[in-house]
Amino acid sequence: MSKLPDALNSLLSELERFGEDHDHGDTKRESKMLNITRDTGEFLAALIRATGARNILEVGASNGYSTLWLAFASQPLGGSITTLERSAAKVAMARENYEQSGLQGLITLVEGDAGDFLGNADSGSTDLIFLDSNRADYLAWWPHLKRLLRPGGTLVVDNATSHPEEVAGFVAVVNADEAFTTALVPVGKGEFLAVKAG
Ligand SMILES: C[S@@+](CC[C@H](N)C(=O)[O-])C[C@H]1O[C@@H](n2cnc3c(N)ncnc32)[C@H](O)[C@@H]1O
């Protein structure tokens, strides 16, 4: 991805260094940043540009690293991102990073439990969902994720190759759903893609 503005590229590099140092320290799991890899960010950006996704939902913002890739990609398309995060400390960090990026106008950060949001969101309202949260919840969330996606919409799930056993049940259910075309993309920690029939 060669078209990143210099200031955004610097901010992303800074967040990568911060995430590495912070997560490798003596940090409790719930306090870790657990950011996507840069090549995953590039992949998501290319996917958004290829599909023209404008209404984007992210589940699991952490400190906002991945959101910045989504917002960067959707900006020229006139798109916007809604992102969900339940940790107040991470919400504060994400807000700061969004401000620093100048992309904050495209991003709505919802603090709270993603399950509550998903249960109340409108059917067919979303072009692309990026799922990067607590993997044990994915199966219970599937009916909502499926409902929220518009026909032709795309679900992307992180950690499909880094934690295959933790997403196996979810992946099996999605793979068995005739309304979805799926693929496993070996970029970063492994991205599982499911595209809803148009
Ligand atoms: C892997 S991290 C997200 C990393 C982020 N996507 C990135 O690449 O920068 C997962 C995040 O999901 C949040 N989370 C977990 N369960 C959640 C829930 N039920 N509702 C909202 N956020 C949740 C955690 O607090 C954590 O910050």
Side-chain angles (χ1 to χ4, degrees), residues 94-107:
R95 284 201 199 288
E96 221 174 286
N97 291 326
Y98 299 158
E99 291 283 332
Q100 206 178 324
S101 73
L103 295 166
Q104 71 276 12
L106 282 63
I107 302 167

Side-chain angles (χ1 to χ4, degrees), residues 39-119:
D39 58 356
T40 302
E42 292 170 347
F43 171 71
L44 290 170
L47 187 65
I48 287 168
R49 296 280 170 88
T51 58
R54 294 175 74 247
N55 295 313
I56 297 171
L57 174 65
E58 175 179 61
V59 187
S62 186
N63 64 334
Y65 176 81
S66 52
T67 323
L68 295 182
W69 281 102
L70 302 174
F72 156 72
S74 62
Q75 188 175 36
L77 305 173
S80 60
I81 322 297
T82 298
T83 184
L84 315 178
E85 176 54 57
R86 69 178 173 190
S87 156
K90 290 180 180 176
V91 163
M93 295 169 92
R95 284 201 199 288
E96 221 174 286
N97 291 326
Y98 299 158
E99 291 283 332
Q100 206 178 324
S101 73
L103 295 166
Q104 71 276 12
L106 282 63
I107 302 167
T108 303
L109 174 54
V110 180
E111 181 176 348
D113 180 63
D116 294 342
F117 180 94
L118 295 172

Side-chain angles (χ1 to χ4, degrees), residues 147-168:
R147 184 178 60 75
L148 261 59
L149 278 177
R150 68 155 170 83
T154 306
L155 171 70
V156 185
V157 186
D158 196 36
N159 301 109
T161 56
S162 65
H163 296 78
E165 66 294 337
E166 293 182 19
V167 293

Side-chain angles (χ1 to χ4, degrees), residues 146-197:
K146 180 175 171 170
R147 184 178 60 75
L148 261 59
L149 278 177
R150 68 155 170 83
T154 306
L155 171 70
V156 185
V157 186
D158 196 36
N159 301 109
T161 56
S162 65
H163 296 78
E165 66 294 337
E166 293 182 19
V167 293
F170 176 78
V171 165
V173 167
V174 181
N175 276 335
D177 193 317
E178 290 189 355
F180 284 80
T181 302
T182 61
L184 179 59
V185 182
V187 63
K189 299 170 196 170
E191 305 307 304
F192 177 66
L193 256 65
V195 181
K196 190 172 179 176

Side-chain angles (χ1 to χ4, degrees), residues 4 8-24 33 35-39 41-42 63 65 69:
L4 279 176
L8 180 59
N9 193 33
S10 299
L11 175 59
L12 289 168
S13 297
E14 190 189 309
L15 292 177
E16 286 158 15
R17 282 192 295 274
F18 170 74
E20 282 270 300
D21 294 348
H22 181 272
D23 288 5
H24 285 120
M33 297 300 118
N35 303 125
I36 57 167
T37 59
R38 178 170 278 250
D39 58 356
E42 292 170 347
N63 64 334
Y65 176 81
W69 281 102

